[in-house]
Amino acid sequence: MLSFFRWYCRPDYVEDLEGDLRERFANHMEEKGVGQAKRLFTLDVLRLFRPGLIRSFPNWTNIFNQDMFKNNLKIAFRHIRNQKLYSSIKIGGLALGIGAFLILALYLKNEFGYDDFYPNKDRMYRVTTKYLEEGFQGVDFPAPFSKALQNDFPEVEKAGRYIPSPWFNQIRPEGSFQNFFEEGAAYVDVELLEILDIPLVHGDYSKSFTKPNSVLISESKARKYFPGTNPINQRIVINNNLDNPHTIVGVFQDFPENSHIDFDFMLSLSGVEFWPEEQQYWGANMYDVYTLLKPGVDPTDFERKAQSIITDYFLPSYQEREFANPTEIANNMELKLQPIEDIYLESADIRDNLSHGNEQILWLFGFSGILIIIIAAINFVNLSTARYSLRAKEIGMRKVVGADRSSIMKQFLTEAIIFSLIAAIIGLVLACIFLPFLNSITDKSLHFSLDMLAYLPILISSAVLLGLVTGSYPSFYLSKLGGMSMQGPKLDGSNKKSVFRSSLVIFQFAISVILIICTIVVYEQMQFVMNKDLGFKKDKVVLIKGTDALGDKVSLFKEDILQIPHIRSASISDYVPVEEGRRYSDSFWKDGKQNTEQGVNAQIWHVDHDYIETMGLEIVLGRGFEENNSSDSTGIIISKSLMDKLSLDKGIGSLIGTKESSWRVIGVMKDFHFESLENEISPSCLILAKSPSIVSAKVSGANTEAVLSAIEKKWSKLAPTNPFRYSFLDERFEFMHKDISMAGRLFNMFAILAIFIACLGLFSLTTFMADRSKKEIGIRKVLGASVLRITKLLSKDFIRLVLIGILIAIPVGWYIMNGWLNDFAYRVSLDWSIFVKGSLLALGIGIVTISYQCVSAALQNPVNNLRS
């Protein structure tokens, strides 16, 4: 908004007024917060936009004679009034295109603007480890890593860390008895807060956050739990732990929606050890580490220098723990720095358990928005040139009375700009109306704010530019007509112009078919994901969350819900094959090979005896866990891929282990998916151990609501102060692939919009050509031509154009979607049926559009057409 002020303000007033504006902004920010201060700043800038303060601009109306300009405006509005259908189609098509583009621009601005609000974003990096042989990067580091990074390298200004806290879920203010479920918590150190430069509404973290059991909470949570009061020094109870309440030492502004870090509770790491000497232990990777480099430090040079930390700290740790080939393991690691602005969109090979956008899809969306604008512009050009004969006498009369070519061009450019400005206004209104629909698709909360008024000059300028572009060819062409044009046009069969107009129609339908093909492919891929054999049965499994709040009663709760009719089985385990499940991996060896062979990394899940039945896992060798078999406490069930990678010949009865423990294999299960289908299935195994945060229940029968009600009653008896929370396994699995679902719905919206705008143009051209040929139609009918024959005659050229557009679209659509599908380890094949469906759909819509007007023209009474 400040740029807008400097643009319009008189140069001799800029310095003084800008100082006043900045002072008012600082006062408002101190009194009312940053958000309200920005809104008031926008209003202040707009209030100053008044005569006396506005600089002198060139008199753009000198481009036109003022009287002539007024006359051109009158003619433009008269033309709109007299040609309501065609004007509505031209304006409506442009408005739809502009509206779609504005919505899409807002969405793309949000997506590409992730994490660009940090003051020192150019020096902020996330540290990752690249594993060269495996081809992926990890973000987890040992507890002492960040200190070593900051102490050993003078290039590092600060290094901070956090660890997500999945066991943080029940919270209440001290003195209250009702717990509330919360997500978005992490243990962080003060260095990370300083790197991120977290703005505080209340409190000061520089000193108070270093005290044990300190916590920062977001502004929204402060309003929720302590409405109307300053919560500093208030205490909250986490997971019913009355012995260690946490003291609130600060309230921070909520993270923006487009931030990959989105915590509501930040607990101090000061005095925290998750086990004895954990903070000095180099053998457990749990912390995400961020660093702020000093000004002028080249990140590439620093990456090369920082590799020494692997040999100085990681390698001795591997040697101390007697890893096989520790030097090879260290040589397989490479430290990398990822700019903070790249984390959301450029983390395809990084495993960090965060939500990410798909940059390829975003570029496709942006390209689709531009193409929709182009389709609408093509309609404008086509209709303007196709109907030139109706303006020929007007042009001829103007030239006879002395008008030159430039004045005629100005008239048509004025009309085009008027059309474009009206379309921009309507498009802005449509964008505001349909923005909630986009939010429902993308799960965002985007909105047009007062801050965006700064973009109003850009919108107006773009609308004028669009008018000039769309009006340039028609005005250039029509202004060429000579004075004799008033005698009647002879150019209707102009081959050159017909080819140009036909090319535009082909281009329109090619774009529409490409979008239809994209929609079908995304839909097919989503169906493939949802119906693929996953190795487990996801239907009708209820996940009851937060059951660790029951303490020792969790087993009793499981037994209670098993008494409910239609519950076939139940299991206690945090490890479920969807995103919200816990994950833990370790390296496995054949027993006794730990110091001589390279280990195999695999997920190791803690489950109970009923887990396999509840999740529908398939045992291919051996058996599952048995309730009354005490030897199963040292037994393990491994996946087929882990058996193959460990080269276990017998499988059953083999001894395998990690560095710390060993188990005997009692069963081999079929591999199952527990990550997105973009990734290959990883090896996994199951052992009997406690993980009580989730109870899963397999439900049979159709009356799921009654079963849920019965479960809630059992819950309320055991945990009356804790909320009952649940989800369904199949819904959470679909949520894991929400980016595919969202892309499908957006492409569907774009395809419908593109084909609708293209058909508007096709309908208009067909109507015009039928109107121009009505005498010919009348003569043919008098001579005996049937309605079918006349319809074929009128529609064949247009249908040919649609077919050519389809032929162009098929290879382009294949190329685009094949590139997108390459990101998936498991994908549909692009067979011919997909392209046939898209082509037939576009052709059918085109034929219906064309035939309606052609049949109407063929059915008219020939006497009326010949008599006029």
Side-chain angles (χ1 to χ4, degrees):
M1 206 65 192
L2 192 59
S3 299
F4 176 57
F5 165 75
R6 290 169 178 166
W7 173 74
Y8 75 71
C9 187
R10 285 175 52 176
D12 50 333
Y13 288 168
V14 166
E15 186 176 350
D16 292 338
L17 290 177
E18 184 175 331
D20 293 341
L21 287 170
R22 288 182 178 276
E23 183 178 350
R24 283 174 60 82
F25 176 76
N27 293 335
H28 288 149
M29 186 170 64
E30 185 177 345
E31 296 171 1
K32 303 179 180 180
V34 174
Q36 182 69 6
K38 287 183 177 179
R39 286 188 285 272
L40 292 173
F41 182 80
T42 300
L43 292 175
D44 287 341
V45 170
L46 293 176
R47 287 192 193 101
L48 293 175
F49 188 75
R50 60 177 185 262
L53 296 179
I54 301 175
R55 69 165 70 210
S56 298
F57 291 103
N59 187 4
W60 299 108
T61 56
N62 286 338
I63 295 174
F64 307 101
N65 176 277
Q66 189 169 354
D67 292 333
M68 185 59 72
F69 181 70
K70 292 179 180 177
N71 185 60
N72 289 341
L73 286 178
K74 289 180 183 178
I75 294 173
F77 284 108
R78 186 187 303 144
H79 181 65
I80 293 172
R81 186 172 63 252
N82 293 338
Q83 302 292 331
K84 294 184 178 64
L85 174 63
Y86 294 101
S87 297
S88 298
I89 289 174
K90 288 201 284 189
I91 293 174
L94 275 179
L96 286 172
I98 291 171
F101 185 81
L102 288 175
I103 291 177
L104 197 54
L106 185 64
Y107 173 67
L108 294 179
K109 179 179 180 293
N110 179 77
E111 294 295 287
F112 283 109
Y114 257 74
D115 299 310
D116 70 347
F117 47 83
Y118 293 108
N120 297 315
K121 61 186 178 184
D122 297 334
R123 298 190 287 128
M124 293 169 61
Y125 298 88
R126 179 174 69 172
V127 187
T128 68
T129 305
K130 184 175 183 179
Y131 298 96
L132 303 177
E133 289 186 7
E134 291 82 357
F136 69 87
Q137 297 183 53
V139 297
D140 300 324
F141 290 90
F145 176 81
S146 62
K147 291 295 183 186
L149 196 66
Q150 183 163 342
N151 295 335
D152 291 4
F153 300 98
E155 295 88 349
V156 175
E157 184 173 316
K158 291 184 185 299
R161 60 195 172 128
Y162 78 83
I163 177 172
S165 179
W167 51 88
F168 179 108
N169 47 44
Q170 306 291 341
I171 181 176
R172 67 175 186 266
E174 190 177 43
S176 173
F177 297 99
Q178 179 63 47
N179 281 320
F180 296 90
F181 171 75
E182 292 290 354
E183 292 179 304
Y187 283 94
V188 306
D189 59 17
V190 71
E191 287 81 7
L192 180 65
L193 300 179
E194 292 170 349
I195 291 172
L196 300 177
D197 196 12
I198 301 293
L200 291 185
V201 179
H202 301 291
D204 176 18
Y205 57 71
S206 58
K207 295 180 180 178
S208 53
F209 196 65
T210 57
K211 299 176 182 177
N213 292 336
S214 299
V215 62
L216 301 175
I217 66 174
S218 66
E219 193 173 7
S220 59
K221 297 305 176 183
R223 288 194 297 267
K224 175 180 177 180
Y225 292 106
F226 306 97
T229 62
N230 185 340
I232 299 300
N233 295 325
Q234 298 283 347
R235 300 203 292 182
I236 56 175
V237 176
I238 299 172
N239 293 343
N240 294 316
N241 187 354
L242 295 173
D243 296 331
N244 291 294
H246 282 68
T247 302
I248 299 172
V249 298
V251 177
F252 58 90
Q253 292 179 14
D254 289 55
F255 284 94
E257 185 181 18
N258 57 345
S259 169
H260 80 279
I261 296 177
D262 188 20
F263 301 134
D264 285 313
F265 299 86
M266 292 191 283
L267 291 75
S268 174
L269 272 170
S270 180
V272 173
E273 280 197 331
F274 297 103
W275 61 83
E277 299 185 357
E278 177 260 341
Q279 291 296 309
Q280 290 76 44
Y281 183 53
W282 281 86
N285 296 331
M286 301 193 305
Y287 295 84
D288 289 44
V289 176
Y290 292 74
T291 183
L292 179 68
L293 298 183
K294 290 181 179 178
V297 174
D298 183 88
T300 305
D301 293 341
F302 176 70
E303 275 184 356
R304 286 194 291 267
K305 184 176 180 180
Q307 304 310 314
S308 62
I309 206 169
I310 296 175
T311 54
D312 292 345
Y313 294 97
F314 284 96
L315 181 57
S317 172
Y318 298 149
Q319 293 169 337
E320 182 182 344
R321 288 180 287 156
E322 299 182 345
F323 273 34
N325 304 316
T327 303
E328 290 184 13
I329 297 174
N331 290 338
N332 187 46
M333 297 169 58
E334 186 177 279
L335 292 183
K336 307 292 288 183
L337 295 182
Q338 184 183 27
I340 194 166
E341 291 179 283
D342 293 349
I343 292 174
Y344 180 66
L345 290 179
E346 299 182 25
S347 298
D349 63 336
I350 299 177
R351 300 182 180 179
D352 57 10
N353 294 321
L354 298 175
S355 295
H356 294 286
N358 187 316
E359 189 171 14
Q360 185 181 22
I361 287 292
L362 292 179
W363 283 115
L364 284 176
F365 288 162
F367 189 57
S368 300
I370 293 172
L371 292 180
I372 288 173
I373 284 278
I374 292 174
I375 290 176
I378 287 173
N379 274 357
F380 188 96
V381 174
N382 263 349
L383 290 178
S384 297
T385 55
R387 296 179 59 80
Y388 74 92
S389 60
L390 301 181
R391 309 291 298 271
K393 290 185 179 181
E394 173 194 339
I395 295 166
M397 180 64 75
R398 282 173 170 268
K399 287 200 170 184
V400 166
V401 298
D404 58 11
R405 185 177 179 184
S406 64
S407 65
I408 294 173
M409 288 185 67
K410 290 172 185 176
Q411 175 197 332
F412 287 108
L413 285 174
T414 301
E415 289 183 14
I417 292 172
I418 293 299
F419 274 69
S420 184
L421 288 172
I422 295 173
I425 295 170
I426 297 174
L428 184 59
V429 173
L430 291 175
C432 294
I433 293 173
F434 289 105
L435 186 56
F437 175 67
L438 179 76
N439 285 334
S440 67
I441 291 177
T442 59
D443 195 28
K444 302 285 185 182
S445 55
L446 305 175
H447 60 279
F448 291 104
S449 63
L450 285 175
D451 296 343
M452 294 181 182
L453 289 174
Y455 295 101
L456 192 59
I458 298 176
L459 177 61
I460 295 172
S461 301
S462 300
V464 172
L465 180 61
L466 182 62
L468 290 172
V469 171
T470 55
S472 58
Y473 179 79
S475 64
F476 177 79
Y477 178 80
L478 293 174
S479 64
K480 289 198 304 182
L481 296 178
M484 292 304 293
S485 296
M486 62 185 297
Q487 301 298 324
K490 303 295 183 184
L491 305 169
D492 208 34
S494 170
N495 210 29
K496 182 190 268 188
K497 201 156 106 46
S498 178
V499 170
F500 177 75
R501 199 158 55 237
S502 298
S503 301
L504 294 180
V505 173
I506 290 170
F507 185 68
Q508 277 186 313
F509 267 87
I511 294 171
S512 302
V513 174
I514 289 170
L515 290 174
I516 290 173
I517 289 172
C518 291
T519 302
I520 294 174
V521 171
V522 173
Y523 174 79
E524 295 278 352
Q525 177 66 13
M526 190 64 190
Q527 292 304 305
F528 174 81
V529 168
M530 296 310 297
N531 297 313
K532 186 183 183 298
D533 180 9
L534 303 171
F536 68 94
K537 293 180 172 60
K538 64 182 185 300
D539 296 328
K540 296 210 168 187
V541 176
V542 181
L543 305 178
I544 305 158
K545 305 175 187 177
T547 50
D548 54 331
L550 297 173
D552 296 336
K553 298 178 183 178
V554 65
S555 297
L556 176 61
F557 175 69
K558 173 186 170 182
E559 296 302 321
D560 283 351
I561 64 174
L562 283 172
Q563 307 305 314
I564 299 172
H566 302 300
I567 291 187
R568 290 165 42 192
S569 64
S571 171
I572 305 171
S573 176
D574 302 352
Y575 295 84
V576 290
V578 288
E579 278 185 347
E580 62 196 67
R582 184 172 289 184
R583 299 286 183 268
Y584 177 68
S585 63
D586 208 338
S587 294
F588 283 82
W589 292 264
K590 288 182 182 178
D591 194 48
K593 301 291 186 181
Q594 282 89 337
N595 298 325
T596 59
E597 294 182 358
Q598 185 72 38
V600 176
N601 189 267
Q603 287 285 317
I604 178 168
W605 289 16
H606 299 174
V607 301
D608 66 3
H609 298 84
D610 299 310
Y611 186 86
I612 292 174
E613 180 186 358
T614 304
M615 290 297 166
L617 301 178
E618 182 181 344
I619 300 293
V620 295
L621 287 175
R623 61 176 177 84
F625 295 116
E626 296 174 348
E627 186 82 39
N628 299 318
N629 193 333
S630 59
S631 65
D632 282 0
S633 61
T634 58
I636 189 170
I637 299 172
I638 64 175
S639 66
K640 182 68 167 56
S641 60
L642 182 56
M643 173 183 166
D644 294 340
K645 289 190 176 185
L646 288 174
S647 301
L648 301 178
D649 297 329
K650 295 182 180 180
I652 306 303
S654 300
L655 279 174
I656 65 171
T658 63
K659 284 288 184 180
E660 291 78 22
S661 305
S662 61
W663 299 269
R664 186 173 299 278
V665 177
I666 64 171
V668 178
M669 60 185 173
K670 180 180 178 181
D671 284 284
F672 64 94
H673 290 275
F674 50 85
E675 292 180 335
S676 167
L677 266 67
E678 294 179 18
N679 306 312
E680 295 275 359
I681 295 180
S682 301
S684 58
C685 58
L686 310 176
I687 62 172
L688 290 176
K690 290 183 178 180
S691 53
S693 295
I694 296 176
V695 172
S696 306
K698 184 72 173 179
V699 179
S700 63
N703 195 357
T704 307
E705 291 298 326
V707 174
L708 290 174
S709 178
I711 295 175
E712 186 172 8
K713 288 179 181 178
K714 302 286 187 182
W715 173 269
S716 299
K717 289 181 180 179
L718 295 175
T721 63
N722 291 327
F724 174 67
R725 299 180 296 108
Y726 69 91
S727 62
F728 288 96
L729 187 62
D730 56 348
E731 291 177 353
R732 300 310 301 172
F733 180 80
E734 184 175 355
F735 185 78
M736 282 174 64
H737 301 87
K738 63 180 180 179
D739 56 334
I740 309 176
S741 177
M742 182 201 72
R745 284 181 287 177
L746 282 179
F747 273 127
N748 186 41
M749 180 178 72
F750 295 149
I752 291 172
L753 190 58
I755 200 76
F756 177 74
I757 296 174
C759 286
L760 274 180
L762 199 58
F763 175 81
S764 303
L765 288 175
T766 309
T767 302
F768 173 71
M769 295 307 295
D771 186 57
R772 294 286 296 153
S773 305
K774 61 185 178 182
K775 279 188 168 57
E776 178 188 348
I777 294 170
I779 293 171
R780 288 180 178 275
K781 288 195 72 173
V782 167
L783 294 176
S786 65
V787 172
L788 180 60
R789 184 174 180 82
I790 293 172
T791 301
K792 286 182 179 178
L793 184 68
L794 291 173
S795 61
K796 65 179 182 179
D797 288 337
F798 288 111
I799 292 175
R800 186 178 71 249
L801 299 180
V802 174
L803 287 172
I804 295 173
I806 289 172
L807 291 176
I808 294 172
I810 288 174
V812 177
W814 179 89
Y815 177 80
I816 293 172
M817 296 318 293
N818 188 61
W820 178 68
L821 287 172
N822 283 337
D823 290 338
F824 292 86
Y826 305 91
R827 48 168 283 183
V828 294
S829 59
L830 290 174
D831 57 54
W832 60 269
S833 64
I834 291 174
F835 301 99
V836 170
K837 291 176 189 175
S839 302
L840 289 178
L841 179 60
L843 183 61
I845 293 172
I847 289 174
V848 169
T849 304
I850 296 165
S851 299
Y852 172 80
Q853 193 58 38
C854 290
V855 171
S856 298
L859 289 174
Q860 288 182 5
N861 190 337
V863 175
N864 295 332
N865 291 335
L866 294 174
R867 182 174 56 195
S868 55

